[in-house]
């Protein structure tokens, strides 16, 4: 039995990743930032599926809070699993900011930087001693790191940074047997960016028209893919970017 820590799993992609991992026989530690009740529902669903789950609060942009968060993870591991490590880290938590390059403010840039890049960098660094040798890390990137759409210059550039970081982590953590990959979703129907992909019919149609499989993505498209990537059969995949987009902008 493996334990996966999934950040930002109260909603959207993280929730689906946690539920698919539980279906595949893993226990989970999920994090939420503001939506404690939603996180408790995810814990209840995982428990109903016969796996163990714990929800912890994490603000991925509050780097000074990471040592205390790591302590809470340690406590949860000891109390719930009588273990001092976990197997899989999925860096998923994030927010969407859509602004043209010329109008992007330093505040918007810093918000994205703190959560999407600096947060992933230093949270992973802080949790490293708790990740089991032979474990795995998945960083959630975005299709927007490969192709460009107006309004995502800061976000897309930071996701590009995450993909580069993924290769460095894979190289430097190799001696511990830890494989590290990036999963890059296409546009998926979640609350992300105000739920535009789900709720704005024009955007939804545009994305579908650019996608080989002819529709936008759903959270389960990503949850299933990440769970598959963390299955034993994918253990030799390392340092890769896997786009999960139904084939957008091919
Ligand atoms: P979502 O539905 O808005 O969910 C965001 C999740 O992240 C929630 O669990 C939220 O917690 C958590 N979160 C937000 N701010 C946080 C913070 N400061 N610290 C810690 N956790 C925080 O978004 P999503 O679509 O699932 O996105 C998840 C990841 O996929 C992100 O990294 C995003 O960049 C990436 N992605 C999304 C899409 C897409 O089209 N949806 C495409 C490509 C990549 P609360 O519920 O507690 O607020």
């Amino acid at each position: 039995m493996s334990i996966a820590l999934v950040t930002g799993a109260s909603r959207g992609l993280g929730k689906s990743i946690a539920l698919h991992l539980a279906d595949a026989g893993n226990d989970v530690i999920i994090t939420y930032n503001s939506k404690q009740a939603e996180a408790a529902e995810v814990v209840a669903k995982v428990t109903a599926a016969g796996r163990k789950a714990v929800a912890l609060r994490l603000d991925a942009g509050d780097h000074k809070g990471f040592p205390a968060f790591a302590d809470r993870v340690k406590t949860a591991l000891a109390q719930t699993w009588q273990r001092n490590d976990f197997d899989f880290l999925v860096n998923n938590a994030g927010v969407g900011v859509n602004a043209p390059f010329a109008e992007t403010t330093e505040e918007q840039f810093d918000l994205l930087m703190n959560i999407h890049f600096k947060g992933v960098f230093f949270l992973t660094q802080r949790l490293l001693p708790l990740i089991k040798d032979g474990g795995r890390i998945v960083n959630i990137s975005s299709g927007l790191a490969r192709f460009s759409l107006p309004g995502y210059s800061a976000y897309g550039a930071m996701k590009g940074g995450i993909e580069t970081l993924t290769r460095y982590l894979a190289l430097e953590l190799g001696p511990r047997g830890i494989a590290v990959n990036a999963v890059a979703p296409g546009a998926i129907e979640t609350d992300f960016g105000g739920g535009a992909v789900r709720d704005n019919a024009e955007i939804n149609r545009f994305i579908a028209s650019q996608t080989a499989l002819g529709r936008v993505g759903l959270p389960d498209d990503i949850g299933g893919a990440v769970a598959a990537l963390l299955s034993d059969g994918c253990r030799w995949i390392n340092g890769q970017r896997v786009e999960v987009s139904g084939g957008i902008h091919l």
Side-chain angles (χ1 to χ4, degrees):
M1 182 274 304
S2 297
I3 304 169
L5 192 162
V6 185
T7 68
S10 40
R11 292 182 276 150
L13 307 188
K15 173 181 177 179
S16 179
I17 292 166
L19 295 177
H20 277 268
L21 283 169
D23 277 351
N26 302 283
D27 290 351
V28 291
I29 298 173
I30 65 163
T31 80
Y32 62 94
N33 182 36
S34 58
K35 304 229 180 285
Q36 187 173 15
E38 279 83 345
E41 279 173 32
V42 176
V43 167
K45 279 194 174 163
V46 172
T47 310
R51 305 306 324 175
K52 290 182 188 165
V54 168
L56 301 176
R57 180 162 185 274
L58 167 73
D59 180 349
D62 173 20
H63 314 128
K64 300 261 180 297
F66 290 173
F69 174 73
D71 285 344
R72 292 202 296 281
V73 173
K74 258 189 234 169
T75 303
L77 286 168
Q79 285 179 349
T80 306
W81 288 277
Q82 295 76 53
R83 275 181 62 173
N84 53 18
D85 56 15
F86 62 93
D87 302 275
F88 307 139
L89 171 63
V90 182
N91 284 308
N92 165 78
V95 291
V97 172
N98 182 332
F101 170 75
E103 290 160 29
T104 300
T105 64
E106 196 171 341
E107 286 70 27
Q108 289 172 320
F109 183 96
D110 287 345
L111 176 77
L112 289 169
M113 175 57 96
N114 284 335
I115 295 173
H116 282 282
F117 191 75
K118 201 170 168 187
V120 172
F121 192 105
F122 287 105
L123 184 68
T124 303
Q125 186 187 68
R126 178 60 63 174
L127 293 176
L128 261 191
L130 301 182
I131 300 176
K132 194 178 161 72
D133 286 358
R136 297 198 234 162
I137 298 173
V138 174
N139 295 322
I140 302 299
S141 178
S142 169
L144 292 165
R146 175 178 66 83
F147 55 82
S148 312
L149 288 178
Y152 292 103
S153 55
Y155 174 81
M158 281 159 207
K159 289 300 197 184
I162 283 301
E163 294 184 4
T164 302
L165 176 65
T166 296
R167 290 192 293 277
Y168 276 88
L169 291 180
L171 184 73
E172 293 199 19
L173 303 184
R176 288 187 51 196
I178 297 174
V180 188
N181 293 292
V183 164
I188 316 291
E189 290 191 1
T190 68
D191 293 340
F192 188 77
V197 174
R198 181 190 56 215
D199 302 336
N200 182 317
E202 202 183 324
I203 292 176
N204 191 295
R205 262 196 307 274
F206 170 73
I207 300 287
S209 75
Q210 301 299 306
T211 302
L213 293 180
R215 62 168 174 82
V216 303
L218 299 172
D220 279 347
D221 294 323
I222 305 304
V226 173
L229 188 57
L230 290 173
S231 69
D232 195 48
C234 291
R235 65 181 176 271
W236 200 237
I237 298 176
N238 192 20
Q240 301 304 304
R241 171 191 198 268
V242 181
E243 188 166 305
V244 186
S245 68
I248 190 169
H249 292 311
L250 294 175

